[in-house]
Amino acid sequence: NLLEDVIKDSESFKHAENRIRIRALAANVLWEYDEVRARALFKEVIASLADLLNNPEASEQQEGHRMFEGPQHLRRELLQILAQRDARLAREFLRSTRAHNSQPASARDVLPDQPLEMSLAIQFAASEPKQALEIGEETLSRGLTYELTPLISALRQKDSEAATKLANQVLAKLRTEKL
């Protein structure tokens, strides 16, 4: 099959970003026909990108001959593809590809990915309200953020109970915070 040939041939690409991008696009196409194989391929992509982000190869950094804008751009691009396919896999991807040095020092510290994660939660609110609520609650546990308001609004459209739960948690947090 042609798609399997593309996947196999992607291994011969010189730059890791290009290999990852081609394999992710192939997995996205494959999803409609063989979800199990596509998931396995996406998991390989996640592992490869996590490795690239946390252990960049010196030679690739110096050359700069990339198809697009670099690993962080590729990360955002792949997150959007995964978000359309599977909310849990998208969250796993976001966590797995977070740079080791971007971990919060404490539960209250803001992650550099927080706006990206909240954008993902708002996107999930329509199709995966439980996932959206989980992301909102995790974010709230680290502190108040303006992105919680649009998340509550988006949740209200699909799951008013989840929206009420998160809004009550935000109000409780507001009562205890020194503003």
Side-chain angles (χ1 to χ4, degrees):
N1 146 351
L2 182 60
L3 193 53
E4 287 298 329
D5 290 344
V6 168
I7 293 167
K8 184 178 154 195
D9 290 346
S10 70
E11 289 302 314
S12 67
F13 290 6
K14 182 177 179 182
H15 298 288
E17 288 172 44
N18 296 342
R19 287 190 302 270
I20 292 167
R21 179 174 277 109
I22 294 300
R23 293 174 73 79
L25 293 173
N28 192 38
V29 170
L30 188 60
W31 190 277
E32 299 296 320
Y33 308 102
D34 186 353
E35 186 178 326
V36 173
R37 172 76 171 107
R39 280 181 183 281
L41 194 53
F42 271 130
K43 288 191 183 263
E44 290 174 21
V45 164
I46 291 170
S48 296
L49 186 58
D51 186 51
L52 179 65
L53 289 166
N54 290 307
N55 305 305
E57 300 169 24
S59 62
E60 287 194 355
Q61 285 182 337
Q62 293 169 357
E63 288 182 34
H65 298 294
R66 294 184 173 95
M67 205 182 272
F68 294 94
E69 296 177 17
Q72 287 299 329
H73 177 76
L74 177 60
R75 182 174 181 251
R76 287 186 299 273
E77 183 182 322
L78 297 182
L79 181 62
Q80 288 307 309
I81 291 170
L82 286 168
Q84 294 170 0
R85 295 297 184 188
D86 184 293
R88 287 199 187 280
L89 193 57
R91 284 186 73 196
E92 177 185 328
F93 173 78
L94 190 61
R95 288 184 178 133
S96 297
T97 58
R98 186 173 288 142
H100 291 307
N101 61 359
S102 70
Q103 298 298 326
S106 74
R108 295 183 54 84
D109 289 344
V110 174
L111 295 170
D113 285 347
Q114 186 169 300
L116 189 58
E117 195 165 5
M118 290 303 295
S119 173
L120 193 63
I122 292 166
Q123 184 178 341
F124 289 161
S127 61
E128 300 277 345
K130 288 181 183 174
Q131 286 287 319
L133 178 61
E134 282 180 28
I135 293 170
E137 289 173 334
E138 286 174 15
T139 299
L140 183 60
S141 73
R142 291 187 297 270
L144 294 165
T145 177
Y146 292 108
E147 290 100 351
L148 287 166
T149 304
L151 176 57
I152 292 168
S153 180
L155 275 171
R156 186 176 299 126
Q157 302 295 319
K158 183 68 174 179
D159 186 344
S160 62
E161 194 173 300
T164 300
K165 181 179 179 182
L166 185 57
N168 287 335
Q169 290 173 357
V170 169
L171 288 173
K173 185 84 157 186
L174 278 169
R175 288 184 192 113
T176 63
E177 290 287 314
K178 284 188 176 184
L179 300 175

